[in-house]
Each structure stands twice: as structure tokens, then as C-alpha cells.
Amino acid sequence: QVQLVESGGGLVQPGGSLRLSCAASIRMFSVYTMAWYRQAPGKQRELVAAISSGGDTNAANSVKGRFTISRDNAKNTVYLQMNSLKPEDTAVYYCNAQSPNFTYWGQGTQVTVSS
């Protein structure tokens, strides 16, 4: 059974950092495009950052220069390093795995940025 398990969320002050991890129990993890999405209360889920099987990355304009996505195919894990966090980054962050035939989601991890 495919599972995506996020960890690393929590409460952090503005300007602080967090590192999210997503451990994936997926065969052939390396062929999947991996991504992080977030959903704030009352808002639609939005793409934060993605990394292709080849390692190409893209990120939302709102997080460029602050967030970095990376992956370790040997560990079946994708990371999101979040620096200079702002209150508007507060949301539930979801891990996503996508191939031409399959899409999987994690359960989400809460990130709260507040003083």
C-alpha cells in the first residue's frame, strides 16, 4: 500500500526555519515528480514547490528564495527547507507524488508561523 508520511511541521516564529520531510513507500520512487502543496484556512490548495525525476525544480513566486525542495532517491524521501518564514506561510502542507498513471497524497502536516 502506498503511503506518503509527512513530518517536521510545527509552530515557529516569523523569520524562523523548518524542514519538512516526506517519506514515501512507493516502488520506483525515482520516476515520480514529487511536490509540496499547502492549504490555508478558507483558501484553495496551492502548489508550493516541485521536483522532477531528473531533479528540475520549480517554486511558487511567493516562496522563491526562501523555500528549497530536494529529494533523496536512496531514502525515498523529499524535503522542503523553509527559511525566513512569514505568518502567511501558515497552512497544512501536503506531500504529493505524481507519475503519468498515479497520483498520491500524504495526510498533511501543520505549519504555524506566529509570534
Side-chain angles (χ1 to χ4, degrees), residues 17-48:
S17 298
L18 284 174
R19 188 195 196 200
L20 305 184
S21 299
C22 171
S25 59
I26 301 178
R27 289 182 61 240
M28 300 183 69
F29 171 84
S30 62
V31 306
Y32 282 77
T33 292
M34 300 299 297
W36 289 95
Y37 286 75
R38 68 185 180 185
Q39 188 167 19
K43 294 188 176 181
Q44 290 188 331
R45 192 172 297 190
E46 63 176 357
L47 175 68
V48 177

PDB file of all heavy atoms in Angstrom, residues 17-48:
ATOM      1  N   SER A  17      12.889  28.971  10.714  1.00  0.00           N
ATOM      2  CA  SER A  17      13.031  27.936   9.683  1.00  0.00           C
ATOM      3  C   SER A  17      12.426  26.623  10.149  1.00  0.00           C
ATOM      4  O   SER A  17      12.378  26.336  11.354  1.00  0.00           O
ATOM      5  CB  SER A  17      14.519  27.704   9.364  1.00  0.00           C
ATOM      6  OG  SER A  17      15.128  28.859   8.839  1.00  0.00           O
ATOM      7  N   LEU A  18      11.986  25.850   9.177  1.00  0.00           N
ATOM      8  CA  LEU A  18      11.543  24.484   9.398  1.00  0.00           C
ATOM      9  C   LEU A  18      11.969  23.643   8.199  1.00  0.00           C
ATOM     10  O   LEU A  18      12.086  24.160   7.084  1.00  0.00           O
ATOM     11  CB  LEU A  18      10.020  24.385   9.536  1.00  0.00           C
ATOM     12  CG  LEU A  18       9.369  24.822  10.844  1.00  0.00           C
ATOM     13  CD1 LEU A  18       7.846  24.771  10.706  1.00  0.00           C
ATOM     14  CD2 LEU A  18       9.813  23.950  12.002  1.00  0.00           C
ATOM     15  N   ARG A  19      12.133  22.354   8.445  1.00  0.00           N
ATOM     16  CA  ARG A  19      12.412  21.427   7.365  1.00  0.00           C
ATOM     17  C   ARG A  19      11.377  20.318   7.379  1.00  0.00           C
ATOM     18  O   ARG A  19      11.294  19.557   8.345  1.00  0.00           O
ATOM     19  CB  ARG A  19      13.801  20.823   7.497  1.00  0.00           C
ATOM     20  CG  ARG A  19      14.243  19.982   6.295  1.00  0.00           C
ATOM     21  CD  ARG A  19      15.436  19.129   6.632  1.00  0.00           C
ATOM     22  NE  ARG A  19      16.111  18.613   5.441  1.00  0.00           N
ATOM     23  CZ  ARG A  19      16.920  17.565   5.462  1.00  0.00           C
ATOM     24  NH1 ARG A  19      17.150  16.927   6.601  1.00  0.00           N
ATOM     25  NH2 ARG A  19      17.510  17.156   4.347  1.00  0.00           N
ATOM     26  N   LEU A  20      10.585  20.250   6.339  1.00  0.00           N
ATOM     27  CA  LEU A  20       9.591  19.196   6.203  1.00  0.00           C
ATOM     28  C   LEU A  20      10.203  18.001   5.466  1.00  0.00           C
ATOM     29  O   LEU A  20      11.022  18.177   4.568  1.00  0.00           O
ATOM     30  CB  LEU A  20       8.371  19.687   5.437  1.00  0.00           C
ATOM     31  CG  LEU A  20       7.669  20.927   5.977  1.00  0.00           C
ATOM     32  CD1 LEU A  20       6.418  21.220   5.135  1.00  0.00           C
ATOM     33  CD2 LEU A  20       7.313  20.784   7.434  1.00  0.00           C
ATOM     34  N   SER A  21       9.764  16.829   5.880  1.00  0.00           N
ATOM     35  CA  SER A  21      10.185  15.592   5.210  1.00  0.00           C
ATOM     36  C   SER A  21       8.951  14.808   4.804  1.00  0.00           C
ATOM     37  O   SER A  21       7.919  14.860   5.477  1.00  0.00           O
ATOM     38  CB  SER A  21      11.044  14.738   6.142  1.00  0.00           C
ATOM     39  OG  SER A  21      12.211  15.412   6.533  1.00  0.00           O
ATOM     40  N   CYS A  22       9.083  14.079   3.722  1.00  0.00           N
ATOM     41  CA  CYS A  22       8.007  13.198   3.256  1.00  0.00           C
ATOM     42  C   CYS A  22       8.638  11.860   2.870  1.00  0.00           C
ATOM     43  O   CYS A  22       9.387  11.795   1.882  1.00  0.00           O
ATOM     44  CB  CYS A  22       7.273  13.808   2.081  1.00  0.00           C
ATOM     45  SG  CYS A  22       6.097  12.690   1.268  1.00  0.00           S
ATOM     46  N   ALA A  23       8.337  10.854   3.662  1.00  0.00           N
ATOM     47  CA  ALA A  23       8.844   9.507   3.386  1.00  0.00           C
ATOM     48  C   ALA A  23       7.787   8.747   2.579  1.00  0.00           C
ATOM     49  O   ALA A  23       6.632   8.646   3.004  1.00  0.00           O
ATOM     50  CB  ALA A  23       9.143   8.786   4.683  1.00  0.00           C
ATOM     51  N   ALA A  24       8.199   8.231   1.449  1.00  0.00           N
ATOM     52  CA  ALA A  24       7.260   7.603   0.519  1.00  0.00           C
ATOM     53  C   ALA A  24       7.528   6.112   0.388  1.00  0.00           C
ATOM     54  O   ALA A  24       8.652   5.697   0.106  1.00  0.00           O
ATOM     55  CB  ALA A  24       7.372   8.253  -0.861  1.00  0.00           C
ATOM     56  N   SER A  25       6.491   5.340   0.589  1.00  0.00           N
ATOM     57  CA  SER A  25       6.598   3.898   0.347  1.00  0.00           C
ATOM     58  C   SER A  25       6.042   3.633  -1.049  1.00  0.00           C
ATOM     59  O   SER A  25       4.892   3.206  -1.208  1.00  0.00           O
ATOM     60  CB  SER A  25       5.825   3.119   1.402  1.00  0.00           C
ATOM     61  OG  SER A  25       4.468   3.496   1.384  1.00  0.00           O
ATOM     62  N   ILE A  26       6.846   3.944  -2.047  1.00  0.00           N
ATOM     63  CA  ILE A  26       6.437   3.822  -3.448  1.00  0.00           C
ATOM     64  C   ILE A  26       7.515   3.049  -4.196  1.00  0.00           C
ATOM     65  O   ILE A  26       8.695   3.370  -4.078  1.00  0.00           O
ATOM     66  CB  ILE A  26       6.275   5.209  -4.112  1.00  0.00           C
ATOM     67  CG1 ILE A  26       5.232   6.051  -3.389  1.00  0.00           C
ATOM     68  CG2 ILE A  26       5.903   5.061  -5.581  1.00  0.00           C
ATOM     69  CD1 ILE A  26       5.068   7.431  -3.976  1.00  0.00           C
ATOM     70  N   ARG A  27       7.088   2.054  -4.975  1.00  0.00           N
ATOM     71  CA  ARG A  27       8.034   1.397  -5.863  1.00  0.00           C
ATOM     72  C   ARG A  27       8.446   2.378  -6.942  1.00  0.00           C
ATOM     73  O   ARG A  27       7.635   3.127  -7.453  1.00  0.00           O
ATOM     74  CB  ARG A  27       7.386   0.170  -6.498  1.00  0.00           C
ATOM     75  CG  ARG A  27       7.175  -0.984  -5.527  1.00  0.00           C
ATOM     76  CD  ARG A  27       6.566  -2.174  -6.239  1.00  0.00           C
ATOM     77  NE  ARG A  27       7.428  -2.663  -7.307  1.00  0.00           N
ATOM     78  CZ  ARG A  27       7.080  -2.715  -8.581  1.00  0.00           C
ATOM     79  NH1 ARG A  27       5.897  -2.278  -8.971  1.00  0.00           N
ATOM     80  NH2 ARG A  27       7.899  -3.203  -9.484  1.00  0.00           N
ATOM     81  N   MET A  28       9.701   2.335  -7.280  1.00  0.00           N
ATOM     82  CA  MET A  28      10.243   3.202  -8.328  1.00  0.00           C
ATOM     83  C   MET A  28      10.010   4.673  -7.989  1.00  0.00           C
ATOM     84  O   MET A  28       9.570   5.464  -8.832  1.00  0.00           O
ATOM     85  CB  MET A  28       9.641   2.846  -9.682  1.00  0.00           C
ATOM     86  CG  MET A  28       9.913   1.412 -10.100  1.00  0.00           C
ATOM     87  SD  MET A  28       9.280   1.007 -11.726  1.00  0.00           S
ATOM     88  CE  MET A  28      10.384   1.984 -12.735  1.00  0.00           C
ATOM     89  N   PHE A  29      10.293   5.031  -6.766  1.00  0.00           N
ATOM     90  CA  PHE A  29      10.145   6.404  -6.283  1.00  0.00           C
ATOM     91  C   PHE A  29      10.830   7.389  -7.219  1.00  0.00           C
ATOM     92  O   PHE A  29      10.325   8.491  -7.453  1.00  0.00           O
ATOM     93  CB  PHE A  29      10.742   6.501  -4.874  1.00  0.00           C
ATOM     94  CG  PHE A  29      10.856   7.904  -4.339  1.00  0.00           C
ATOM     95  CD1 PHE A  29       9.760   8.508  -3.730  1.00  0.00           C
ATOM     96  CD2 PHE A  29      12.055   8.607  -4.405  1.00  0.00           C
ATOM     97  CE1 PHE A  29       9.869   9.796  -3.207  1.00  0.00           C
ATOM     98  CE2 PHE A  29      12.166   9.884  -3.887  1.00  0.00           C
ATOM     99  CZ  PHE A  29      11.074  10.487  -3.290  1.00  0.00           C
ATOM    100  N   SER A  30      11.958   7.017  -7.751  1.00  0.00           N
ATOM    101  CA  SER A  30      12.778   7.953  -8.522  1.00  0.00           C
ATOM    102  C   SER A  30      12.099   8.449  -9.795  1.00  0.00           C
ATOM    103  O   SER A  30      12.475   9.487 -10.332  1.00  0.00           O
ATOM    104  CB  SER A  30      14.127   7.322  -8.875  1.00  0.00           C
ATOM    105  OG  SER A  30      13.945   6.174  -9.694  1.00  0.00           O
ATOM    106  N   VAL A  31      11.093   7.746 -10.286  1.00  0.00           N
ATOM    107  CA  VAL A  31      10.447   8.182 -11.531  1.00  0.00           C
ATOM    108  C   VAL A  31       9.315   9.170 -11.275  1.00  0.00           C
ATOM    109  O   VAL A  31       8.780   9.748 -12.218  1.00  0.00           O
ATOM    110  CB  VAL A  31       9.914   6.990 -12.343  1.00  0.00           C
ATOM    111  CG1 VAL A  31      11.030   5.974 -12.588  1.00  0.00           C
ATOM    112  CG2 VAL A  31       8.703   6.352 -11.698  1.00  0.00           C
ATOM    113  N   TYR A  32       8.973   9.363 -10.020  1.00  0.00           N
ATOM    114  CA  TYR A  32       7.864  10.247  -9.684  1.00  0.00           C
ATOM    115  C   TYR A  32       8.320  11.706  -9.587  1.00  0.00           C
ATOM    116  O   TYR A  32       9.406  11.991  -9.072  1.00  0.00           O
ATOM    117  CB  TYR A  32       7.227   9.869  -8.351  1.00  0.00           C
ATOM    118  CG  TYR A  32       6.312   8.686  -8.434  1.00  0.00           C
ATOM    119  CD1 TYR A  32       6.824   7.390  -8.509  1.00  0.00           C
ATOM    120  CD2 TYR A  32       4.931   8.845  -8.434  1.00  0.00           C
ATOM    121  CE1 TYR A  32       5.982   6.297  -8.587  1.00  0.00           C
ATOM    122  CE2 TYR A  32       4.086   7.761  -8.500  1.00  0.00           C
ATOM    123  CZ  TYR A  32       4.620   6.496  -8.584  1.00  0.00           C
ATOM    124  OH  TYR A  32       3.781   5.412  -8.663  1.00  0.00           O
ATOM    125  N   THR A  33       7.474  12.601 -10.068  1.00  0.00           N
ATOM    126  CA  THR A  33       7.605  14.010  -9.715  1.00  0.00           C
ATOM    127  C   THR A  33       7.030  14.181  -8.315  1.00  0.00           C
ATOM    128  O   THR A  33       5.911  13.752  -8.039  1.00  0.00           O
ATOM    129  CB  THR A  33       6.849  14.908 -10.705  1.00  0.00           C
ATOM    130  OG1 THR A  33       7.511  14.860 -11.979  1.00  0.00           O
ATOM    131  CG2 THR A  33       6.819  16.350 -10.220  1.00  0.00           C
ATOM    132  N   MET A  34       7.812  14.780  -7.450  1.00  0.00           N
ATOM    133  CA  MET A  34       7.392  14.994  -6.063  1.00  0.00           C
ATOM    134  C   MET A  34       7.136  16.484  -5.842  1.00  0.00           C
ATOM    135  O   MET A  34       7.832  17.333  -6.414  1.00  0.00           O
ATOM    136  CB  MET A  34       8.455  14.513  -5.096  1.00  0.00           C
ATOM    137  CG  MET A  34       8.792  13.035  -5.217  1.00  0.00           C
ATOM    138  SD  MET A  34       7.365  11.972  -4.901  1.00  0.00           S
ATOM    139  CE  MET A  34       7.007  12.370  -3.180  1.00  0.00           C
ATOM    140  N   ALA A  35       6.140  16.772  -5.018  1.00  0.00           N
ATOM    141  CA  ALA A  35       5.788  18.167  -4.808  1.00  0.00           C
ATOM    142  C   ALA A  35       5.265  18.382  -3.395  1.00  0.00           C
ATOM    143  O   ALA A  35       4.834  17.439  -2.716  1.00  0.00           O
ATOM    144  CB  ALA A  35       4.740  18.605  -5.831  1.00  0.00           C
ATOM    145  N   TRP A  36       5.308  19.623  -2.991  1.00  0.00           N
ATOM    146  CA  TRP A  36       4.677  20.078  -1.753  1.00  0.00           C
ATOM    147  C   TRP A  36       3.588  21.079  -2.131  1.00  0.00           C
ATOM    148  O   TRP A  36       3.825  21.995  -2.932  1.00  0.00           O
ATOM    149  CB  TRP A  36       5.684  20.752  -0.828  1.00  0.00           C
ATOM    150  CG  TRP A  36       6.649  19.808  -0.207  1.00  0.00           C
ATOM    151  CD1 TRP A  36       7.897  19.486  -0.647  1.00  0.00           C
ATOM    152  CD2 TRP A  36       6.441  19.045   0.991  1.00  0.00           C
ATOM    153  NE1 TRP A  36       8.477  18.572   0.206  1.00  0.00           N
ATOM    154  CE2 TRP A  36       7.601  18.288   1.222  1.00  0.00           C
ATOM    155  CE3 TRP A  36       5.381  18.936   1.901  1.00  0.00           C
ATOM    156  CZ2 TRP A  36       7.743  17.432   2.309  1.00  0.00           C
ATOM    157  CZ3 TRP A  36       5.518  18.089   2.982  1.00  0.00           C
ATOM    158  CH2 TRP A  36       6.690  17.352   3.177  1.00  0.00           C
ATOM    159  N   TYR A  37       2.418  20.870  -1.554  1.00  0.00           N
ATOM    160  CA  TYR A  37       1.302  21.789  -1.665  1.00  0.00           C
ATOM    161  C   TYR A  37       0.960  22.291  -0.269  1.00  0.00           C
ATOM    162  O   TYR A  37       1.372  21.697   0.726  1.00  0.00           O
ATOM    163  CB  TYR A  37       0.071  21.086  -2.251  1.00  0.00           C
ATOM    164  CG  TYR A  37       0.148  20.795  -3.731  1.00  0.00           C
ATOM    165  CD1 TYR A  37       0.946  19.765  -4.219  1.00  0.00           C
ATOM    166  CD2 TYR A  37      -0.604  21.530  -4.645  1.00  0.00           C
ATOM    167  CE1 TYR A  37       1.004  19.483  -5.586  1.00  0.00           C
ATOM    168  CE2 TYR A  37      -0.558  21.262  -6.012  1.00  0.00           C
ATOM    169  CZ  TYR A  37       0.250  20.232  -6.465  1.00  0.00           C
ATOM    170  OH  TYR A  37       0.306  19.959  -7.815  1.00  0.00           O
ATOM    171  N   ARG A  38       0.199  23.351  -0.209  1.00  0.00           N
ATOM    172  CA  ARG A  38      -0.282  23.837   1.082  1.00  0.00           C
ATOM    173  C   ARG A  38      -1.690  24.362   0.938  1.00  0.00           C
ATOM    174  O   ARG A  38      -2.109  24.788  -0.139  1.00  0.00           O
ATOM    175  CB  ARG A  38       0.641  24.910   1.658  1.00  0.00           C
ATOM    176  CG  ARG A  38       0.662  26.225   0.894  1.00  0.00           C
ATOM    177  CD  ARG A  38       1.705  27.157   1.492  1.00  0.00           C
ATOM    178  NE  ARG A  38       1.760  28.451   0.796  1.00  0.00           N
ATOM    179  CZ  ARG A  38       2.645  29.395   1.051  1.00  0.00           C
ATOM    180  NH1 ARG A  38       3.600  29.190   1.970  1.00  0.00           N
ATOM    181  NH2 ARG A  38       2.623  30.523   0.378  1.00  0.00           N
ATOM    182  N   GLN A  39      -2.390  24.317   2.066  1.00  0.00           N
ATOM    183  CA  GLN A  39      -3.756  24.834   2.109  1.00  0.00           C
ATOM    184  C   GLN A  39      -3.971  25.571   3.407  1.00  0.00           C
ATOM    185  O   GLN A  39      -3.893  24.988   4.493  1.00  0.00           O
ATOM    186  CB  GLN A  39      -4.779  23.712   1.956  1.00  0.00           C
ATOM    187  CG  GLN A  39      -6.202  24.192   1.806  1.00  0.00           C
ATOM    188  CD  GLN A  39      -7.147  23.109   1.344  1.00  0.00           C
ATOM    189  OE1 GLN A  39      -6.867  21.925   1.449  1.00  0.00           O
ATOM    190  NE2 GLN A  39      -8.292  23.511   0.796  1.00  0.00           N
ATOM    191  N   ALA A  40      -4.228  26.849   3.280  1.00  0.00           N
ATOM    192  CA  ALA A  40      -4.531  27.683   4.438  1.00  0.00           C
ATOM    193  C   ALA A  40      -6.046  27.683   4.665  1.00  0.00           C
ATOM    194  O   ALA A  40      -6.819  27.433   3.734  1.00  0.00           O
ATOM    195  CB  ALA A  40      -4.028  29.098   4.202  1.00  0.00           C
ATOM    196  N   PRO A  41      -6.481  27.982   5.887  1.00  0.00           N
ATOM    197  CA  PRO A  41      -7.916  28.001   6.171  1.00  0.00           C
ATOM    198  C   PRO A  41      -8.680  28.929   5.228  1.00  0.00           C
ATOM    199  O   PRO A  41      -8.280  30.081   5.019  1.00  0.00           O
ATOM    200  CB  PRO A  41      -7.977  28.506   7.608  1.00  0.00           C
ATOM    201  CG  PRO A  41      -6.661  28.118   8.193  1.00  0.00           C
ATOM    202  CD  PRO A  41      -5.670  28.250   7.085  1.00  0.00           C
ATOM    203  N   GLY A  42      -9.733  28.419   4.613  1.00  0.00           N
ATOM    204  CA  GLY A  42     -10.554  29.225   3.728  1.00  0.00           C
ATOM    205  C   GLY A  42      -9.978  29.453   2.347  1.00  0.00           C
ATOM    206  O   GLY A  42     -10.556  30.211   1.548  1.00  0.00           O
ATOM    207  N   LYS A  43      -8.847  28.816   2.059  1.00  0.00           N
ATOM    208  CA  LYS A  43      -8.215  29.010   0.757  1.00  0.00           C
ATOM    209  C   LYS A  43      -8.067  27.675   0.030  1.00  0.00           C
ATOM    210  O   LYS A  43      -8.140  26.616   0.624  1.00  0.00           O
ATOM    211  CB  LYS A  43      -6.843  29.667   0.925  1.00  0.00           C
ATOM    212  CG  LYS A  43      -6.902  31.085   1.471  1.00  0.00           C
ATOM    213  CD  LYS A  43      -5.542  31.750   1.432  1.00  0.00           C
ATOM    214  CE  LYS A  43      -5.614  33.194   1.883  1.00  0.00           C
ATOM    215  NZ  LYS A  43      -4.279  33.865   1.814  1.00  0.00           N
ATOM    216  N   GLN A  44      -7.839  27.773  -1.269  1.00  0.00           N
ATOM    217  CA  GLN A  44      -7.620  26.573  -2.074  1.00  0.00           C
ATOM    218  C   GLN A  44      -6.210  26.032  -1.868  1.00  0.00           C
ATOM    219  O   GLN A  44      -5.292  26.778  -1.511  1.00  0.00           O
ATOM    220  CB  GLN A  44      -7.844  26.889  -3.558  1.00  0.00           C
ATOM    221  CG  GLN A  44      -9.283  27.145  -3.932  1.00  0.00           C
ATOM    222  CD  GLN A  44      -9.486  27.249  -5.439  1.00  0.00           C
ATOM    223  OE1 GLN A  44      -8.589  27.656  -6.171  1.00  0.00           O
ATOM    224  NE2 GLN A  44     -10.656  26.850  -5.905  1.00  0.00           N
ATOM    225  N   ARG A  45      -6.075  24.748  -2.095  1.00  0.00           N
ATOM    226  CA  ARG A  45      -4.757  24.137  -2.037  1.00  0.00           C
ATOM    227  C   ARG A  45      -3.914  24.697  -3.185  1.00  0.00           C
ATOM    228  O   ARG A  45      -4.379  24.809  -4.315  1.00  0.00           O
ATOM    229  CB  ARG A  45      -4.869  22.616  -2.142  1.00  0.00           C
ATOM    230  CG  ARG A  45      -3.601  21.869  -1.820  1.00  0.00           C
ATOM    231  CD  ARG A  45      -3.824  20.367  -1.761  1.00  0.00           C
ATOM    232  NE  ARG A  45      -4.746  19.994  -0.688  1.00  0.00           N
ATOM    233  CZ  ARG A  45      -4.959  18.746  -0.306  1.00  0.00           C
ATOM    234  NH1 ARG A  45      -4.315  17.741  -0.935  1.00  0.00           N
ATOM    235  NH2 ARG A  45      -5.797  18.467   0.661  1.00  0.00           N
ATOM    236  N   GLU A  46      -2.661  25.023  -2.875  1.00  0.00           N
ATOM    237  CA  GLU A  46      -1.795  25.600  -3.887  1.00  0.00           C
ATOM    238  C   GLU A  46      -0.446  24.889  -3.909  1.00  0.00           C
ATOM    239  O   GLU A  46       0.036  24.394  -2.888  1.00  0.00           O
ATOM    240  CB  GLU A  46      -1.565  27.102  -3.624  1.00  0.00           C
ATOM    241  CG  GLU A  46      -0.857  27.414  -2.330  1.00  0.00           C
ATOM    242  CD  GLU A  46      -0.559  28.899  -2.153  1.00  0.00           C
ATOM    243  OE1 GLU A  46      -0.853  29.689  -3.066  1.00  0.00           O
ATOM    244  OE2 GLU A  46      -0.001  29.249  -1.097  1.00  0.00           O
ATOM    245  N   LEU A  47       0.161  24.882  -5.102  1.00  0.00           N
ATOM    246  CA  LEU A  47       1.482  24.297  -5.256  1.00  0.00           C
ATOM    247  C   LEU A  47       2.524  25.204  -4.613  1.00  0.00           C
ATOM    248  O   LEU A  47       2.549  26.413  -4.869  1.00  0.00           O
ATOM    249  CB  LEU A  47       1.802  24.105  -6.732  1.00  0.00           C
ATOM    250  CG  LEU A  47       3.216  23.599  -7.048  1.00  0.00           C
ATOM    251  CD1 LEU A  47       3.391  22.171  -6.566  1.00  0.00           C
ATOM    252  CD2 LEU A  47       3.479  23.697  -8.554  1.00  0.00           C
ATOM    253  N   VAL A  48       3.384  24.603  -3.800  1.00  0.00           N
ATOM    254  CA  VAL A  48       4.481  25.348  -3.183  1.00  0.00           C
ATOM    255  C   VAL A  48       5.764  25.154  -3.985  1.00  0.00           C
ATOM    256  O   VAL A  48       6.415  26.117  -4.387  1.00  0.00           O
ATOM    257  CB  VAL A  48       4.705  24.891  -1.731  1.00  0.00           C
ATOM    258  CG1 VAL A  48       5.897  25.614  -1.117  1.00  0.00           C
ATOM    259  CG2 VAL A  48       3.444  25.132  -0.908  1.00  0.00           C
TER     260      VAL A  48
END
